Amino acid sequence: MSQATLPGLTLCNNAMLRRATRKLGQFYDDVLAPSGLKATQQGLLYQIHIGDEPAMGAIASALVMDLSALGHTLKPLIRDGYVETFADKADRRIKRVRLTPQGLIKLDEVMKLWRVAQQRFEDIVGKEQAESLRTALDGIAALDFDVPPAT
C-alpha cells in the first residue's frame, strides 16, 4: 500500500478501482493533450469509427453510459466538427453518429498519441499484466449485478 492511500480505501473494490481509473485517465489525458482531446473523447471517436455509423444507444450500451452522458461527451466533438448525428434511414427515431472528414483526420492524430500512451503503460506495467488487466476489467463490465449470485 502506498503512503498516499488512505487505509479505508483498500477495503473497497469500487474505491480502489476509481482511484486507479483516475490515475490512468490523467496519464492518458496528459499524453493526448497535444491533440486537444481527452482520453474519453479519443475512445469515443475510435468506437464511432469502428462502429460503422453506430446508433447512439448501441454506443452508450457498449460503453456502459446512459444516453445523457453520451450526449454530453459528444457535444464538443459535434461543435468542433469531428462528429455528426443523423436519423437512421429505416427508423427515424434512432439517432446514428459518424465521423466527419475532419473527425477522421483528428482520429488519426490522436491515435498516434494514444499508441504512445499505450506503449508507455505497457512498458511500466508489463505487456502481459496490461492484457490481464484489460481481460479482468472486461469481465467485470460484462457482469450483471442486478442478478443475485447463486448460493
Side-chain angles (χ1 to χ4, degrees):
M1 177 170 68
S2 74
Q3 293 222 316
T5 303
L6 296 173
L9 290 178
T10 60
L11 300 175
C12 179
N13 298 316
N14 184 48
M16 291 303 286
L17 181 60
R18 286 177 179 265
R19 181 175 181 260
T21 300
R22 283 190 296 274
K23 179 85 171 188
L24 191 56
Q26 289 169 357
F27 166 70
Y28 273 77
D29 283 348
D30 289 347
V31 175
L32 300 181
S35 73
L37 297 181
K38 300 277 189 192
T40 51
Q41 294 170 316
Q42 172 271 330
L44 189 51
L45 285 181
Y46 182 73
Q47 291 305 314
I48 292 167
H49 177 64
I50 65 169
D52 191 27
E53 299 184 350
M56 286 184 59
I59 296 170
S61 177
L63 297 177
V64 191
M65 299 174 84
D66 60 42
L67 281 172
S68 173
L70 177 60
H72 178 75
T73 306
L74 278 174
K75 195 175 284 189
L77 297 173
I78 293 169
R79 178 199 65 219
D80 294 342
Y82 302 139
V83 172
E84 60 188 6
T85 61
F86 61 99
D88 184 270
K89 291 176 186 163
D91 185 345
R92 310 259 329 141
R93 296 171 298 177
I94 297 173
K95 203 178 231 187
R96 294 193 170 275
V97 63
R98 65 180 160 226
L99 298 186
T100 64
Q102 188 177 349
L104 287 168
I105 292 167
K106 182 54 78 171
L107 177 63
D108 184 57
E109 173 191 347
V110 74
M111 289 305 292
K112 289 174 184 168
L113 295 168
W114 174 85
R115 284 189 272 286
V116 169
Q118 192 78 350
Q119 187 61 54
R120 281 190 201 162
F121 179 77
E122 289 185 358
D123 289 347
I124 293 167
V125 171
K127 186 175 180 144
E128 289 166 7
Q129 188 171 351
E131 187 174 333
S132 293
L133 176 64
R134 289 190 305 271
T135 300
L137 293 173
D138 189 44
I140 291 168
L143 293 174
D144 185 356
F145 290 101
D146 293 332
V147 176
T151 55

